[in-house]
Amino acid sequence: MGSVVSIRVPPEIKHEMDELKGEVNWSAEIREFIKKKIKEYKKREALQEVISYIQTLPEAPKGTAQKLVREDRDSH
C-alpha cells in the first residue's frame, strides 16, 4: 500500500473536479503528473552534471574542429 499525500485546492477547482469525477480519475492523473515531474527533475539534474563536467575539460586548440572536418571529408 502507498503513502497518502493530501493537497489543498481552491473551492472552485474542487467543484470543477467533482463535475468531472466520472470522466477523470484524479488520483491516477495526479500520480502520473508527479512521476513526470520527478523524471524531468532527474533529467535536469543529470544534464547539469554533464554541463559541469564539460566545463572542467580543457579547451581544444584553435582550428581543431576545422582540421577534424577536413580529415573526415578527405577520408571518403
Side-chain angles (χ1 to χ4, degrees):
M1 181 173 235
S3 299
V4 174
V5 177
S6 60
I7 60 167
R8 291 189 184 274
V9 295
E12 59 273 8
I13 300 284
K14 177 64 170 127
H15 176 72
E16 290 183 43
M17 289 172 70
D18 289 342
E19 287 179 356
L20 295 170
K21 201 173 208 167
E23 297 177 44
V24 179
N25 180 340
W26 291 109
S27 294
E29 292 290 331
I30 293 168
R31 274 192 298 273
E32 281 305 309
F33 175 80
I34 292 170
K35 285 179 191 177
K36 285 179 186 176
K37 279 296 174 187
I38 290 170
K39 194 173 183 178
E40 285 175 21
Y41 177 79
K42 287 183 178 184
K43 283 181 182 180
R44 233 178 301 148
E45 200 174 55
L47 180 60
Q48 197 55 46
E49 286 180 31
V50 170
I51 290 170
S52 294
Y53 174 73
I54 288 172
Q55 290 173 340
T56 66
L57 297 174
E59 284 190 33
K62 189 172 180 173
T64 300
Q66 184 179 15
K67 177 184 168 199
L68 292 172
V69 169
R70 278 201 184 120
E71 286 177 5
D72 185 57
R73 286 183 185 160
D74 293 343
S75 69
H76 290 84

